[in-house]
């Protein structure tokens, strides 16, 4: 399997606070990876650096062998933790905009997913409920045939039924040759979908192992191990 | 990709400014119609008609002022919302360079500034057509142009015109982008940061230009009574001033680009 993300001594500081601390890590394609950790552990900061939204204080991050830039953005599908789409646009305009900017965007796939949700494409994004806005954003991100999906807290702040829908959408639509990086602290909900788990604690990587290994060698579920590692 | 970015930036700007232009031109037409319908000769004036005309004139004046200010406010808001707020999570992960983002916003902004100037001129037509003879207007413009050409564009006229257009269309936008971008370096005080950057820009640019002007003014006093020398001096001063601001804006553009590239820190 080829490496899609490589971090070497990656560090990000905000003043005196260190969000990510000398992170050494490689992520390979063909896996669903859980980026797990409590709030403030550096998950979002790491994902932002992958997407070029933050500049590392020191160290290096490479996406498909290149620093974050135009080429990495072409192959990375990013779902931010907040609603980031222009809210004055209609859903069909947003679909068109994704078509315009991303050559790997599959319009039919997006329209089918929207139809499954019975979402009227003529509706303006801001008139949708928060849950539906998040779903539209997820649909647009997952309708790309990307090489790396970065999903930042995709199930945070939604009800359990919506969580099921979101996880099902991710599993049914991701490019199997790609790597899917899911950041969350809701381990129980995502555990069954993960191939690999990364535990981040105060910006440091404290665990990087396959879910199968965690279960077999430690005799615990990822959720049980998470509770043990991050016990207050 | 640049074309697509411009398309979406124009859409974002036009949804605010086009209705404003429509109100401007509409109120101008309405004002003319009212003035034509009601005669305001004092004794026969109707109070309701007077109030109506006053309200329409008020709307017209407000939208006239709005065309000037609102366009720049919308340009600033569009830049801030697209690149520095939540929407930055989308726009800054598009497969385009920071230069493309900046150029797209500058060109879309320039288009809207030109549109606002056109709306401004068009709004005068309903008010003055029929009241002022067209040849008089043309003569006024032609005389004014001749004066400018003779005294201000005596030397390097074409260059001055090109640079003036550049400064008018892009300079103010670059300052806005520069200040907003610097402001985001103060994560908890972004607006204050942008305001301080603007004050800093004003102080620095005005101080340096004053120093240059005081040095240049001494030399330009020699022979100022001669009209040819006066014209040449005016041209030179104008060209130097414009070039000075072009250099300032170029520096600010580069600084904006560098901050976006190396110090980007959206919330």
């Amino acid at each position: 399997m080829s490496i899609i993300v490589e971090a070497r001594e990656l560090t990000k500081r905000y003043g005196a606070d260190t969000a990510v601390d000398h992170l050494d890590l490689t992520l390979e394609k063909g896996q669903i990876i859980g980026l797990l950790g409590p709030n403030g552990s550096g998950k979002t900061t790491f994902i932002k650096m992958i997407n070029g939204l933050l500049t590392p204080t020191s160290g290096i991050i490479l996406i498909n062998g290149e620093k974050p830039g135009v080429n990495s953005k072409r192959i990375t599908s990013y779902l931010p933790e907040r609603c980031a789409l222009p809210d004055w646009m209609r859903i069909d305009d947003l679909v068109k905009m994704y078509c315009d900017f991303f050559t790997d965007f599959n319009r039919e796939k997006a329209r089918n997913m929207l139809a499954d949700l019975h979402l009227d494409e003529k509706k303006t994004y801001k008139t949708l409920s928060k849950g539906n806005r998040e779903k539209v954003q997820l649909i647009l991100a997952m309708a790309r045939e990307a090489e790396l999906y970065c999903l930042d807290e995709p199930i945070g702040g939604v009800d359990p039924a919506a969580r099921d829908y979101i996880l099902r959408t991710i599993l049914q639509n991701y490019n199997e040759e790609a790597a899917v990086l899911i950041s969350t602290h809701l381990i129980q909900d995502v555990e069954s979908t993960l191939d690999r788990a990364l535990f981040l604690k105060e910006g440091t990587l404290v665990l990087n192992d396959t879910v199968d290994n965690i279960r077999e060698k430690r005799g615990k579920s990822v959720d049980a191990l998470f509770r043990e590692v991050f016990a207050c | 990709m640049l074309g697509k970015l411009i398309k979406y930036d124009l859409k974002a700007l036009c949804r605010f400014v086009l209705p404003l232009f429509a109100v401007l031109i509409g109120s101008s037409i309405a004002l003319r119609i009212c003035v034509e319908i009601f005669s305001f000769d004092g004794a026969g004036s109707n109070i309701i008609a007077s109030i109506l005309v006053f309200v329409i004139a008020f709307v017209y004046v407000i939208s006239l002022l709005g065309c000037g200010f609102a366009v720049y406010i919308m340009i600033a808001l569009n830049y801030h919302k697209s690149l520095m707020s939540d929407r930055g999570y989308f726009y800054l992960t598009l497969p385009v360079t920071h230069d493309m983002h900046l150029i797209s916003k500058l060109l879309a902004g320039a288009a809207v500034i030109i549109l606002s100037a056109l709306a401004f001129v068009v709004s005068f037509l309903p008010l003055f057509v029929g009241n002022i003879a067209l040849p008089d207007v043309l003569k006024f413009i032609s005389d004014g142009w001749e004066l400018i050409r003779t005294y201000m564009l005596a030397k390097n006229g074409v260059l001055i015109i090109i640079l003036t257009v550049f400064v008018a269309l892009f300079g103010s936008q670059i300052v806005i982008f520069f200040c907003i971008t610097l402001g985001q370096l103060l994560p908890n005080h972004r607006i204050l940061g942008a305001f301080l950057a603007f004050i800093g820009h004003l102080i620095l640019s005005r101080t340096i230009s004053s120093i240059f002007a005081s040095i240049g003014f001494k030399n330009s006093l020699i022979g100022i009574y001669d009209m040819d020398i006066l014209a040449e001096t005016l041209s030179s001063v104008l060209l130097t001033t414009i070039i000075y601001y072009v250099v300032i804006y170029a520096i600010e553009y580069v600084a904006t680009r560098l901050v976006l590239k190396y110090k980007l820190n959206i919330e």
Side-chain angles (χ1 to χ4, degrees), chain A residues 16 28 46 77 83 91 109 175 178-179 193 199 206 213 232:
Chain A
E28 292 173 340
F46 178 56
S77 185
C83 295
I91 298 174
K109 201 192 233 185
N175 170 12
T193 65
F199 282 9
V206 291
N213 271 347
C232 297

Side-chain angles (χ1 to χ4, degrees), chain A residues 12 14 48 51-55 70 73-74 76 78 80-89 93 96-102 126 144, chain B residues 1 4-5 7-8 11-13 15 81 85-98 259-267:
Chain A
K12 178 68 189 177
Y14 298 102
K48 280 188 187 177
N51 286 285
L53 292 172
L54 282 179
T55 316
V70 175
K73 288 170 186 176
R74 243 179 230 133
T76 306
Y78 173 48
E81 61 181 332
R82 54 187 82 191
C83 295
L85 298 170
D87 58 4
W88 50 273
M89 288 176 82
D93 289 331
K96 194 169 177 311
M97 184 158 72
Y98 262 74
C99 267
D100 279 346
F101 287 113
F102 299 109
K126 70 177 165 196
R144 288 184 60 194
Chain B
M1 282 290 180
K4 290 168 186 169
L5 278 177
K7 180 175 91 176
Y8 287 103
K11 273 188 181 181
L13 288 172
R15 75 196 178 96
K81 283 197 167 183
S85 73
D86 286 356
R87 269 181 230 164
Y89 284 77
F90 171 70
Y91 282 107
L92 289 166
T93 50
L94 294 176
V96 297
T97 59
H98 294 112
V259 173
L260 282 179
K261 191 169 182 189
Y262 296 110
K263 288 282 174 191
L264 184 65
N265 213 356
I266 66 168
E267 278 172 352

Side-chain angles (χ1 to χ4, degrees), chain A residues 165-225:
Chain A
Y165 171 81
I166 289 167
L167 291 171
R168 207 169 53 243
T169 305
I170 294 168
L171 286 175
Q172 287 172 353
N173 293 287
Y174 81 100
N175 170 12
E176 289 185 18
E177 302 296 311
V180 182
L181 184 65
I182 304 176
S183 132
T184 186
H185 55 273
L186 301 168
I187 320 296
Q188 240 177 352
D189 293 284
V190 296
E191 182 164 352
S192 60
T193 65
L194 300 179
D195 297 312
R196 178 173 286 277
L198 309 173
F199 282 9
L200 267 187
K201 190 177 186 181
E202 292 167 3
T204 312
L205 191 65
V206 291
L207 179 100
N208 178 3
D209 207 349
T210 63
V211 171
D212 289 343
N213 271 347
I214 292 170
R215 287 190 189 127
E216 283 166 21
K217 290 181 184 168
R218 299 173 194 252
K220 286 174 187 157
S221 67
V222 177
D223 186 50
L225 184 63

